[in-house]
Amino acid sequence: MNLEEYFAEFKTAVRVDSAFGLTVHVAAEVAAGHAIGLPVAQMHAFLARRTQITSAAVALKGPYLSPEQIARIDLARADGAVYPKDVVLKAFTPEEVHSDLLAKISK
């Protein structure tokens, strides 16, 4: 399967309309998955897991993310937090969160 076919199959798997493209980061990750022979189902699972982490992590101060912080995200999700704002509020202290984002999600 060539890259174009892989993209099309991936977009079908994640229910993205064929008329729409993929974001820069997702497209790069999908291309990398194709390059190493990752089945589309595993690519989908990988990106779903990545999104679970990054959707909360983007609210944190600093450019780095530790295994301990990922564990806290996972624990918050295991305790029932579904939405990223709920994960952030449950897993992190106000000092760890960008103040502008904290103001938005604390309402």
Side-chain angles (χ1 to χ4, degrees):
M1 171 183 325
N2 68 31
L3 183 58
E4 189 171 330
E5 293 165 335
Y6 190 84
F7 263 56
E9 188 174 327
F10 177 79
K11 287 167 68 174
T12 298
V14 298
R15 297 187 178 118
V16 171
D17 188 297
S18 61
F20 293 100
L22 300 175
T23 64
V24 171
H25 292 193
V26 172
E29 290 163 344
V30 170
H34 173 264
I36 63 169
L38 196 63
V40 169
Q42 287 182 341
M43 187 76 239
H44 184 197
F46 167 81
L47 286 174
R49 176 69 176 128
R50 178 192 176 279
T51 300
Q52 286 180 330
I53 297 166
T54 59
S55 64
V58 295
L60 302 178
K61 293 177 181 175
Y64 305 108
L65 188 63
S66 71
E68 184 267 337
Q69 289 171 310
I70 294 168
R72 288 164 58 191
I73 291 168
D74 290 343
L75 183 58
R77 288 195 180 282
D79 285 345
V82 175
Y83 297 105
K85 71 176 194 141
D86 298 327
V87 172
V88 170
L89 292 172
K90 189 171 212 156
F92 300 99
T93 66
E95 294 77 26
E96 296 173 288
V97 180
H98 287 288
S99 57
D100 58 330
L101 294 173
L102 184 61
K104 290 178 185 176
I105 65 174
S106 295
K107 295 179 181 179

